[in-house]
Amino acid sequence: MKIAGSVVFVTGASRGLGLAFARLALAQGASKVYAGVRNPAGFNVPGIIPIKIDVTDEVSVIAAAKECQDTTILVNNAGIGSLSKGALAPDMIGLSKHLMDTNYYGIVRTAQAFAPVLAASDQSAMINVLSDVTWLSIPMLAAYAASKSAAWSLTNALRLELKAQNTHVLALHVGFVDTDLVKDFNVPKSSPEDVVHEVYAGLEAGKYEVLADEGTRHIKSTLSLEDAIYFNPPLPD
Ligand SMILES: NC(=O)c1ccc[n+]([C@@H]2O[C@H](COP(=O)([O-])OP(=O)(O)OC[C@H]3O[C@@H](n4cnc5c(N)ncnc54)[C@H](OP(=O)(O)O)[C@@H]3O)[C@@H](O)[C@H]2O)c1
């Protein structure tokens, strides 16, 4: 699947990784780029069309899919994060529901609404933005990581189901990326542009999965080992 000539719809495109997905699609020759944003009036990037979408609101998701019937690549990027006081914290259920509504059910909603749209073109793709925490949770990330693991599982089911309509499903797994989401963490971070470059190259090469940094590649490489990294990961101070 080529980026050039495609019509790309990115959720959560107001900033961060989503904005990089939208900008780079345009730079690589997409014929149209839709920026799915919660506040279209606040979005002004020449050449990119803002479309109102809140992935927690089914009505807005259906309306966006109806408006953007020519979409050939859907990027499920919108996401939120939050730290918790641990997997046993009193607010664990409430926080999990909150994160799942965007990070997991958000993808369910957009996949349901956009699958028929993607089916209308000979070749199409769905890119789901996941994380390295898909495979490695720690107590303070318990709720967020669970939402990304759920989204990974969903991504794998969607990949099989959408094959019949020639929609290629690619998952992005990545550690820290330099965006607002992790601005308070003083750790090495990938640049959003580098990550998106790798994702689009992966899509064009027909990959199912892009592991965008060394840390993520290492986590995945240990999964089948007796001492897989998630048993004893390095914990932050
Ligand atoms: N940054 C990292 O280290 C990192 C690592 C791994 C994975 N990720 C994933 O990458 C994705 C993008 O995150 P980011 O780092 O770019 O974070 P970000 O800078 O905080 O941007 C998040 C984006 O998602 C949008 N959004 C949030 N809730 C939404 C909703 N209900 N409906 C529609 N849009 C919504 C935000 O829109 P508003 O501007 O309206 O708030 C914003 O555009 C997320 O799925 C995140 O989990 C990030």
Side-chain angles (χ1 to χ4, degrees):
M1 174 99 212
K2 292 270 174 228
I3 305 302
S6 64
V7 177
V8 181
F9 188 108
V10 184
T11 68
S14 61
R15 53 201 169 91
L17 260 178
L19 183 57
F21 270 111
R23 282 189 195 278
L24 204 68
L26 194 66
Q28 293 194 357
S31 59
K32 204 187 274 184
V33 180
Y34 296 118
V37 291
R38 289 193 279 198
N39 172 23
F43 185 91
N44 184 12
V45 177
I48 300 180
I49 305 160
I51 303 288
K52 188 171 176 57
I53 188 170
D54 180 332
V55 300
T56 65
D57 171 14
E58 190 181 3
V59 172
S60 94
V61 173
I62 291 170
K66 207 168 166 192
E67 197 176 340
C68 305
Q69 289 282 312
D70 51 356
T71 301
T72 61
I73 299 178
L74 171 67
V75 184
N76 282 311
N77 163 80
I80 53 174
S82 193
L83 299 180
S84 68
K85 291 212 169 77
L88 299 174
D91 67 344
M92 181 61 184
I93 290 180
L95 183 60
S96 299
K97 284 182 176 172
H98 175 62
L99 293 172
M100 291 285 275
D101 200 19
T102 301
N103 297 351
Y104 174 71
Y105 293 114
I107 301 181
V108 176
R109 294 184 189 97
T110 58
Q112 286 179 332
F114 278 87
V117 174
L118 298 174
S121 77
D122 293 344
Q123 249 201 337
S124 57
M126 180 185 295
I127 295 170
N128 290 350
V129 178
L130 306 175
S131 170
D132 60 349
V133 304
T134 303
W135 299 311
L136 194 167
S137 188
I138 57 175
M140 71 176 186
L141 288 176
Y144 175 69
S147 74
K148 289 296 185 181
S149 294
W152 176 54
S153 179
L154 172 68
T155 299
N156 293 333
L158 287 170
R159 181 176 299 114
L160 301 180
E161 195 161 335
L162 295 178
K163 215 171 216 165
Q165 64 171 52
N166 216 16
T167 300
H168 183 91
V169 177
L170 182 151
L172 163 65
H173 298 261
V174 64
F176 286 104
V177 185
D178 195 4
T179 69
D180 293 344
L181 191 74
V182 293
K183 63 180 183 318
D184 297 332
F185 293 82
N186 189 16
V187 294
K189 298 169 190 170
S190 305
S191 94
E193 291 74 23
D194 288 352
V195 171
V196 173
H197 259 290
E198 206 168 326
V199 172
Y200 284 158
L203 182 65
E204 296 204 343
K207 289 189 178 181
Y208 290 132
E209 193 166 83
V210 167
L211 311 180
D213 56 43
E214 197 42 51
T216 304
R217 288 188 283 274
H218 177 63
I219 291 169
K220 187 165 184 214
S221 74
T222 76
L223 292 184
S224 62
L225 303 180
E226 280 277 316
D227 61 344
I229 193 168
Y230 57 84
F231 294 124
N232 283 299
L235 291 173
D237 302 329

